[in-house]
Structure formats: structure tokens, C-alpha cells
Amino acid sequence: MKMKSKEIQVTGQETWTLFRLENDQGMSVHFLNFGGIITNISVPDWNGDSENVVLSYKNFEEYMENPGYLGALIGRVAGRIKQASFQLEGKEYQVEANEGEHHLHGGEKGFHQQIWEASPFENDGGIGVTLSHKSSDGEGGYPATIDVTVTYTLTDDNRLVIDYFAETDQTTVLTLTNHTYFNLSGQADTTIHDHTLRLNSSRFAELDDELIPTGEWINLNDTPFDFREQKLLGSSLSYETTQQKAANGGIDHFFLLDGKRKPDIRLEEETSRRTLEVETDQPGVVIYTSNNLPEGKFLVEGKTRKYSGVCIETQSSPASIHEAGFPEITLSPGEPYQSRTVFKFGIGATP
């Protein structure tokens, strides 16, 4: 296994560091200390040919704005906060309204726009980098000073392990995730219609037409979002139902994980036969099929467009701020935030 790094000079910006991790099986992971952005994950297909299986901008400058949050760490709160406001311990807090009247993914200067301190390491478990950031009280409108670390570890059995840890000095809200877009074909100019998905969930949060949870849960029975058995992802990419229409012709929903069968999530692409298995201790996941991805940005291959990739955003739910019955995101002093998500890449059985 080996690790390399190099400096990236972006016009008018500070210098970023690009880390490259590579194991002995031909898998590599590249990411920036800016936003913790994953810019490349290359894994072999059934022929042994390695290709990048995540959406990546052709020019690093595109990550300066990154309207689609490609590859980025998301925080303080992943997802949407209704009306960009919430109450904690009897006090009202107003955060940035950066998507209409609502708050999305930590705001314009969220964790995806921060330069993180980086500490590389190598141990028996693999090689990786720990990224650290101190978010001050009032940053983005959020209460409390929090110390956050996110660790990326590459193992020799083709696992990318993401560990999240945070401590706060007063009560606040926090739920972190990673916003990488996967396209296992290795061909970013294709769509994800031919991927198949298995998702161990029996219900998802209903959305209104502004993608805000209504507070109701929908049972997956007889819906296009029932992926409890491996099923073609393309079958859900339409405007057939009210919930598909709300998400602009696909999925952008929070699914509550059952936790009864592992892996929690399994994605496969039939031509390359690449597989991605995801295991997490988070209570749920947002599956996002890039229905609203800003189009026309130059990628390493092709341009961004609708259905270019699928995000697997393991997290808790910001809907819990306003609605009962959702997994909580409150963080208190003396009770650290700690979570792990594992992305394991492999090759499926011969058809």
C-alpha cells in the first residue's frame, strides 16, 4: 500500500493538498483537504481494468463553488432544515437560507467549503488521513463550538472506511455525511439506469414539493422505491408517482434502515460487474439519483447531467428538528458524535 500527496494551486485561492491512497489490489482513492472532497475512486472491473467510479470535475477550480456538492463532506447538518430555523433549549436559531426559504447542507460556507487540517497515517488496518476542523460558535448561524474529525481509511480488501467524530461545548445539532456520486460503470458519460440496488429499508420519509419531509412515513410496499430485493434502479427514475414528481423524476428521500440484514445497501452495475456494499451505524440513508444535479459542468469524462450518479448519504434526519418520530440530530456536551460508514467494492457473480 502506498500514499502520495501533492499541492494544488487554485486561482485566487489558498493551496490545497490532494491525497492519493492506493492498495495492493489496484484500488485507489483521491481526495482533497478542501472540503474533504473525494475526487477519484478507481476500482477494477471483472476484466481487471481499473476506472474511476465517482463523478469528478475535469478542473479543480470547479470545486470552489461545487453546486452539486460532488464528493464533499457535508455539515454541520446534512440535508434540509425547514425554514432555515430551529429551536434548542427554548432558543430560536436562524441559519442561512441557501435553497429558497430553507437551509441545505450546512449553507454556502459549510464543511464542504473549509480547508481541513490533515494528518496522514499508516497502521495494520490500512492507510489514510484524518481531517480536522474547529467550527466556532455562531458559524453559519449554528450554536456551539465543535471539534470535528473525519478519517478516510483505505484497506487492502477494497474498503473505504469513513469515521466521523465530533465534540461540542454546548447543545447543538449535527449530522454528517459524504456526498460522493457513484457510477460503477466507470463511464461518467452514461447514466445509472442500468445499476441495480438493494436497500434494507421498509419505509421512507414523505416529501412535499420543496423536498421537505412532511412528518409522515410511507411504507415501501407497492411503491417504485421498494428495493428490499436487488432491483433495477432505472425502474424508479420517472414521474409516475407523487413522490417521484417531488424529487424531479427520481429519488431524493431519507430511508430508515432496518438493520436486520447486512450489507445495508448493495449497488451493482451489470456491464462492469462492479459492486458496492455499504454498511453503516447511522439510522438511515438519503438515496439521491442526481435528479437536480446542475448540468453542463465538465467532468473528467463527459459533462454533469441528470441521473449521472447516485449518492448514498448515510446520516440521521434534520426533519427531527421539527417533526416527531425521526432519528435525532441533537448533540450535547460530554456525548461525542461518533459514526462509521464502510464502502466495500467488489465484483459480482458471472451473469
Side-chain angles (χ1 to χ4, degrees):
M1 303 183 78
K2 56 187 178 182
M3 181 189 316
K4 296 180 180 178
S5 65
K6 74 172 186 178
E7 301 303 302
I8 303 292
Q9 187 65 52
V10 182
T11 305
Q13 297 292 310
E14 296 182 48
T15 301
W16 302 342
T17 302
L18 177 68
F19 293 93
R20 301 176 178 179
L21 312 179
E22 185 177 339
N23 69 12
D24 296 332
Q25 312 304 317
M27 176 177 170
S28 62
V29 179
H30 302 181
F31 55 90
L32 296 164
N33 68 333
F34 175 72
I37 293 169
I38 294 174
T39 64
N40 182 297
I41 298 178
S42 292
V43 292
D45 65 5
W46 70 282
N47 276 322
D49 296 326
S50 284
E51 293 172 301
N52 181 23
V53 297
V54 303
L55 301 191
S56 307
Y57 289 126
K58 183 176 182 179
N59 299 311
F60 283 102
E61 282 79 4
E62 294 288 357
Y63 290 111
M64 292 165 58
E65 295 186 5
N66 197 10
Y69 303 91
L70 266 67
L73 292 176
I74 303 297
R76 291 186 186 190
V77 170
R80 293 171 177 84
I81 296 179
K82 181 179 179 180
Q83 299 298 313
S85 65
F86 57 91
Q87 285 192 351
L88 273 180
E89 299 179 331
K91 184 176 180 180
E92 181 88 11
Y93 292 93
Q94 192 74 37
V95 288
E96 178 188 2
N98 62 319
E99 190 183 62
E101 298 179 343
H102 312 297
H103 177 80
L104 176 65
H105 290 335
E108 295 293 339
K109 297 299 181 182
F111 289 175
H112 66 291
Q113 288 288 306
Q114 305 300 320
I115 294 180
W116 295 61
E117 294 183 12
S119 301
F121 65 86
E122 182 172 358
N123 55 36
D124 292 341
I127 56 175
V129 176
T130 296
L131 302 170
S132 305
H133 175 63
K134 180 185 286 289
S135 183
S136 301
D137 184 21
E139 186 176 292
Y142 289 99
T145 295
I146 60 171
D147 291 291
V148 184
T149 62
V150 180
T151 301
Y152 292 152
T153 304
L154 176 63
T155 70
D156 223 10
D157 60 351
N158 287 359
R159 296 174 191 259
L160 171 61
V161 182
I162 305 182
D163 287 301
Y164 303 91
F165 182 85
E167 292 182 300
T168 182
D169 64 352
Q170 59 179 294
T171 303
T172 189
V173 290
L174 185 79
T175 184
L176 309 178
T177 196
N178 180 275
H179 207 280
T180 293
Y181 292 76
F182 296 98
N183 186 322
L184 297 183
S185 72
Q187 310 294 321
D189 56 352
T190 66
T191 67
I192 52 173
H193 283 77
D194 290 337
H195 287 57
T196 63
L197 175 69
R198 190 181 77 214
L199 174 61
N200 297 329
S201 172
S202 57
R203 55 184 177 147
F204 66 93
E206 182 184 56
L207 299 178
D208 67 16
D209 58 7
E210 292 185 329
L211 298 173
I212 301 297
T214 65
E216 299 297 323
W217 293 95
I218 296 180
N219 190 298
L220 286 168
N221 292 337
D222 301 320
T223 74
F225 296 169
D226 188 353
F227 290 98
R228 284 172 287 189
E229 299 300 329
Q230 201 88 23
K231 188 176 78 171
L232 198 64
L233 191 55
S235 66
S236 69
L237 306 183
S238 74
Y239 292 84
E240 177 185 354
T241 67
T242 300
Q243 286 303 291
Q244 289 168 301
K245 290 175 184 176
N248 193 26
I251 312 173
D252 193 2
H253 293 73
F254 180 80
F255 293 80
L256 197 65
L257 293 170
D258 291 342
K260 298 176 181 177
R261 181 169 59 158
K262 296 295 183 180
D264 297 296
I265 303 144
R266 186 179 189 276
L267 188 69
E268 184 168 359
E269 198 277 322
E270 60 178 6
T271 302
S272 68
R273 300 218 298 270
R274 292 186 181 97
T275 62
L276 170 58
E277 296 181 344
V278 182
E279 295 189 6
T280 185
D281 53 15
Q282 289 278 26
V285 60
V286 172
I287 300 294
Y288 172 50
T289 48
S290 55
N291 327 303
N292 294 302
L293 180 64
E295 300 196 3
K297 299 287 187 181
F298 284 97
L299 300 172
V300 172
E301 185 176 82
K303 294 182 180 181
T304 54
R305 60 171 170 155
K306 192 171 184 175
Y307 308 136
S308 294
V310 55
C311 296
I312 301 172
E313 305 166 55
T314 59
Q315 60 179 90
S316 196
S317 175
S320 62
I321 294 173
H322 298 103
E323 308 288 350
F326 283 76
E328 288 286 338
I329 65 169
T330 303
L331 182 66
S332 301
E335 300 176 3
Y337 177 96
Q338 203 160 1
S339 179
R340 167 175 285 191
T341 296
V342 180
F343 299 89
K344 184 180 187 336
F345 295 87
I347 303 297
T350 303

